[in-house]
Amino acid sequence: MHLTRPRQISRRSVLKAAGVAAGAAAVGAATAPPAAAAGYAHPGLLHTRADLERMAAKVKAGAAPYTAGYAKLTANRHAQSGWAANPQTTVVRGGTGQNYAILYNDLHAAYQNGLRYHVSGDSAHADTAVAILNAWSAKLTSLAGNADRFLAAGLYGYQAANAAELVRDRPDFELERFQKMLTSVFSPLSESFLVKHNGAVVTNYWPNWDLTAMACVLATGIFCDDTAKVEQAVEYFKHGAGLGSVKNAIPVVQEDGLAEWLEAGRDQGHALLGVGLMGTFCEMAWNQGIDLYGYDDSRFLKGAQYVAKWSLGGEVSYTANTRKKGAIGGWSGTETAADAAGVDPAMTRPIWAMIANHYTKRRGVSAPYLTRIAAKAAPEGGGGDYGPNSGGYDQLGFGTLAFTRDRVASAGAASGTPSPSASGSSAAADPSPTAPAAASASASATAASGKGGDLAATGSSDVVAWTATTGLTALAGGLLLLRRRDRARRAAE
């Protein structure tokens, strides 16, 4: 039996209908998001019913590259039936008593077993996923820690919803109890962060902080059929004041069709995290009939192409950017990102198959850097395949299996950029979101050391995790990274 709660329609129906209509008019009906008959489609977060059936059929037929992607899944220790959950009453990330690794390991085990069930049909994997998720919804009551608790809410909230979506129609799954956990433990922190930013000035936190919160709120809204949450998340993507909104995360569109990713001025690991999170956000929205992939003349495509080129070792330009830091009414300072950081072309995350397949297969447009980096990263694994630290569990992964798709025959031309959907067509008339002020490279970066209180050092501790999971060597004075050509030579070109 299908345990689906009554669905809310209200304003979301108008949003969805507008997005579908404009997408069809711009690039052909085949490139429009799927339209749910009423309310929200289930399953309908990262994977629709059609997606799951495609995976199963392709693996059964022995089709490449699905078989290689499935082999990565079955080899992962988290994907084995019988995984025993270890639920906690309180999960702590940041500060004393951290135990959040227990949660992300269990959630990835639930997701991987759920995915394996849909591909293989083996009910033992569904039973395992249900048991893990039921155990956590019966015990978890709070998230704690320093500012990193917001990361825990965002990352593990969206992951929990996606794992549960795979087994929501199983009769032994406690649907209402799980919905209560999402709406009382995870989503409130994420919603609060998007409004208050932990009491900090709005640009204190890099884009990935907003993006984790946005992903949690959107996934919770869809899973719980809550229109208000879906609309809050979508509106923030378009017009949010923080750095995670699309025009702040991707502030400069270049003449060559690429667009600068703000966090490229920070480091490669966090830039990859941000692209993966924005792709996840766009995919979940797409599966509910909301086209954010095409919003603002496909701004995300341009930003993802930029990060792909840069991560492959290509030369990219970067506009110096100074952001304000600190607490409202408290300490304050600024930090300038003056240039794109160094990269290691060997660093990868399981984020590219989803994005590349959307643009090149669903829409039939050219995305050469995405195509190259997705091929290089294949077959994509998931949590547990990219090291033991938290950075290796930020994406659910397995994109080669889950997102590889055949090209839509009636898609638009094989080159160019798809036109924006109706959800993005009004962008020119909207006021621009507040963006961090551009500044010269000589602007000094200041911060009141030790006066930040509970404000995070914006994830600086994750550098160790990114380093360990990609095989780079930590040196006393920093990281051993491949450096790009010097700025003077680039400026002369």
Side-chain angles (χ1 to χ4, degrees):
M1 110 180 137
H2 193 72
L3 302 177
T4 304
R5 292 173 63 85
R7 296 165 180 160
Q8 300 180 38
I9 303 175
S10 71
R11 293 174 290 171
R12 182 194 166 274
S13 301
V14 177
L15 179 74
K16 177 185 67 183
V20 172
V27 290
T31 64
Y40 297 102
H42 299 292
L45 288 174
L46 284 175
H47 315 301
T48 66
R49 179 83 51 198
D51 292 334
L52 296 168
E53 291 174 352
R54 180 188 67 249
M55 295 177 220
K58 293 287 190 179
V59 170
K60 183 177 181 180
Y66 300 90
T67 50
Y70 188 58
K72 291 288 289 187
L73 175 63
T74 58
N76 194 301
R77 70 184 184 91
H78 296 79
Q80 312 310 310
S81 62
W83 178 284
N86 183 18
Q88 307 291 307
T89 302
T90 299
V91 166
V92 180
R93 177 165 178 166
T96 304
Q98 288 193 131
N99 63 351
Y100 67 102
I102 298 172
L103 175 58
Y104 67 65
N105 275 282
D106 277 2
L107 289 179
H108 280 259
Y111 172 78
Q112 291 179 28
N113 271 278
L115 196 59
R116 190 168 176 182
Y117 158 66
H118 280 282
V119 176
S120 70
D122 185 346
S123 61
H125 294 290
D127 294 341
T128 297
V130 168
I132 295 168
L133 298 170
N134 282 349
W136 277 94
S137 68
K139 191 166 184 177
L140 183 65
T141 59
S142 63
L143 300 175
N146 60 23
D148 283 4
R149 70 191 183 277
F150 294 104
L151 293 178
L155 289 168
Y156 312 136
Y158 96 77
Q159 293 175 2
N162 271 278
E165 187 79 350
L166 294 174
V167 294
R168 69 177 293 138
D169 59 351
R170 297 284 294 184
D172 51 344
F173 175 61
E174 296 288 348
L175 176 62
E176 292 188 6
R177 193 173 74 198
F178 201 86
Q179 289 174 321
K180 181 179 179 181
M181 180 182 71
L182 287 176
T183 56
S184 63
V185 178
F186 291 95
S187 188
L189 278 173
S190 291
E191 293 174 58
S192 171
F193 186 83
L194 294 178
V195 175
K196 299 179 181 179
H197 286 88
N198 193 32
V201 296
V202 73
T203 57
N204 183 76
Y205 292 96
W206 287 98
N208 70 81
W209 287 77
D210 272 355
L211 287 164
T212 63
M214 292 157 61
C216 175
V217 175
L218 180 64
T220 299
I222 294 169
F223 188 85
C224 299
D225 298 301
D226 188 327
T227 303
K229 285 182 173 55
V230 172
E231 292 180 345
Q232 178 190 6
V234 171
E235 176 63 17
Y236 199 94
F237 175 90
K238 296 177 180 179
H239 305 301
L243 297 183
S245 62
V246 67
K247 292 183 181 179
N248 288 341
I250 311 172
V252 178
V253 177
Q254 301 173 344
E255 292 183 0
D256 62 1
L258 302 184
E260 297 173 18
W261 191 269
L262 182 67
E263 212 150 355
R266 180 186 184 190
D267 61 60
Q268 184 184 8
H270 288 96
L272 293 175
L273 169 61
V275 171
L277 288 168
M278 189 171 285
T280 294
F281 190 88
C282 290
E283 184 71 15
M284 293 189 297
W286 175 274
N287 286 333
Q288 297 300 329
I290 306 168
D291 183 9
L292 300 178
Y293 276 118
Y295 178 74
D296 192 25
D297 196 24
S298 297
R299 196 179 192 95
F300 176 53
L301 168 62
K302 298 168 186 176
Q305 280 263 90
Y306 173 97
V307 174
K309 178 183 179 182
W310 169 63
S311 293
L312 287 166
E315 194 73 13
V316 294
S317 61
Y318 186 89
T319 303
N321 186 289
T322 296
R323 63 190 182 93
K324 293 180 180 179
K325 298 174 61 178
I328 296 174
W331 73 278
S332 63
T334 62
E335 182 177 66
T336 296
D339 198 5
V343 300
D344 173 16
M347 182 184 286
T348 189
R349 282 291 178 270
I351 64 175
W352 298 112
M354 175 176 61
I355 303 167
N357 273 276
H358 172 80
Y359 288 111
T360 66
K361 299 297 182 62
R362 278 188 181 140
R363 296 203 118 121
V365 302
S366 176
Y369 299 114
L370 288 176
T371 300
R372 284 176 53 197
I373 203 165
K376 184 177 179 180
E380 290 180 353
D385 291 323
Y386 297 87
N389 300 297
S390 60
Y393 291 82
D394 287 341
Q395 285 85 33
L396 290 168
F398 300 104
T400 305
L401 169 66
F403 301 110
T404 300
R405 59 186 75 247
D406 297 326
R407 185 183 295 273
V408 176
S410 57
S415 62
T417 304
S419 300
S421 71
S423 60
S425 62
S426 61
D430 293 332
S432 299
T434 303
S440 67
S442 62
S444 61
T446 60
S449 177
K451 300 180 181 179
D454 189 40
L455 297 181
T458 58
S460 59
S461 61
D462 281 352
V463 170
V464 176
W466 285 111
T467 304
T469 59
T470 53
L472 295 175
T473 303
L475 299 178
L479 295 176
L480 178 61
L481 294 173
L482 300 181
R483 304 304 301 171
R484 23 196 15 82
R485 285 175 269 174
D486 65 59
R487 297 173 200 162
R489 178 181 174 185
R490 186 176 61 198
E493 292 176 344

